[in-house]
Amino acid sequence: MGRLSDTSTPQNMMAVVSKPCRDSQKLLDKPNLFTVYGEAIQDPSNVGAIVRLAAAFGVDAVWLSPESADPYNPKAVRASAGTWFGVPIFTDVDLATLIGTGIQVYAADSSRATTTLLGSFTTRPPRLALAFGSEGRGLSRELLHAAVQRYTIRTQQDIESLNVASAAAIAMYHFRSLPVQ
């Protein structure tokens, strides 16, 4: 086990499984869709945590930009705690395609410039993608420009930003509890 595992203290179990094959178009055809979009999320542990959070909060799918860490990286799989079997994950659909299907993008933006406080939202659109960016750079200007809403999570003023998985957890929880417009 020690030679086969990539961890220093393996859990004495191992499995070989195929990557799930999902139909993105089938999801994109749904009239109500609650999704997450990760742009250039570099840490596989954060990718896995976001997948696990998506499962916990009933998110329909996770979309990742090609610059994001591989969601099937061993660290991502461990951080997802096996939930990637149940949450569709896509790395082959770009943001323009999502927007072209009528999905509204709400972008997490810690800059607090032209943003709405997360707690101010009382409804959500029927087709919503919450966008989160790279741990170091945040979201690209292009994505921020494409978003119909930018929101921020209130923190103490001396805190620059939250870890991307923490921000995702707070936002998914908040928006999942809101009624659809």
Side-chain angles (χ1 to χ4, degrees):
M1 287 299 277
R3 286 193 314 248
L4 293 174
S5 175
D6 69 335
T7 62
S8 57
T9 54
Q11 295 184 344
N12 293 325
M13 65 175 70
M14 197 169 289
V16 177
V17 297
S18 298
K19 291 180 184 178
C21 183
R22 311 279 192 188
D23 182 0
S24 61
Q25 193 57 53
K26 189 175 182 179
L27 267 171
L28 291 172
D29 289 341
K30 291 176 62 174
N32 290 307
L33 193 59
F34 181 46
T35 67
V36 169
Y37 182 82
E39 181 185 53
I41 298 177
Q42 301 153 343
D43 184 341
S45 296
N46 281 334
V47 169
I50 289 170
V51 170
R52 185 176 184 176
L53 292 162
F57 295 118
V59 170
D60 296 309
V62 173
W63 313 89
L64 297 168
S65 71
E67 305 84 25
S68 291
D70 180 3
Y72 303 106
N73 173 297
K75 286 183 179 181
V77 171
R78 276 194 304 279
S80 74
T83 56
W84 59 263
F85 285 111
V87 177
I89 304 166
F90 300 99
T91 58
D92 61 344
V93 177
D94 65 5
L95 184 66
T97 300
L98 295 179
I99 292 170
T101 66
I103 292 176
Q104 293 187 33
V105 176
Y106 284 22
D109 185 359
S110 64
S111 73
R112 295 188 174 109
T114 66
T115 60
T116 302
L117 285 174
L118 179 67
S120 300
F121 292 94
T122 57
T123 61
R124 65 181 167 100
R127 297 173 56 76
L128 173 63
L130 299 177
F132 302 96
S134 158
E135 295 88 338
R137 294 185 316 257
L139 291 167
S140 67
R141 286 188 183 139
E142 294 80 20
L143 194 146
L144 289 170
H145 180 71
V148 297
Q149 290 282 343
R150 293 185 196 181
Y151 66 90
T152 191
I153 298 168
R154 186 186 311 250
T155 60
Q156 297 298 317
Q157 289 186 350
D158 58 338
I159 302 297
E160 181 184 339
S161 65
L162 297 173
N163 165 279
V164 67
S166 298
I170 294 166
M172 283 187 246
Y173 175 80
H174 178 75
F175 282 105
R176 173 49 73 196
S177 68
L178 298 179
V180 175
Q181 298 171 336

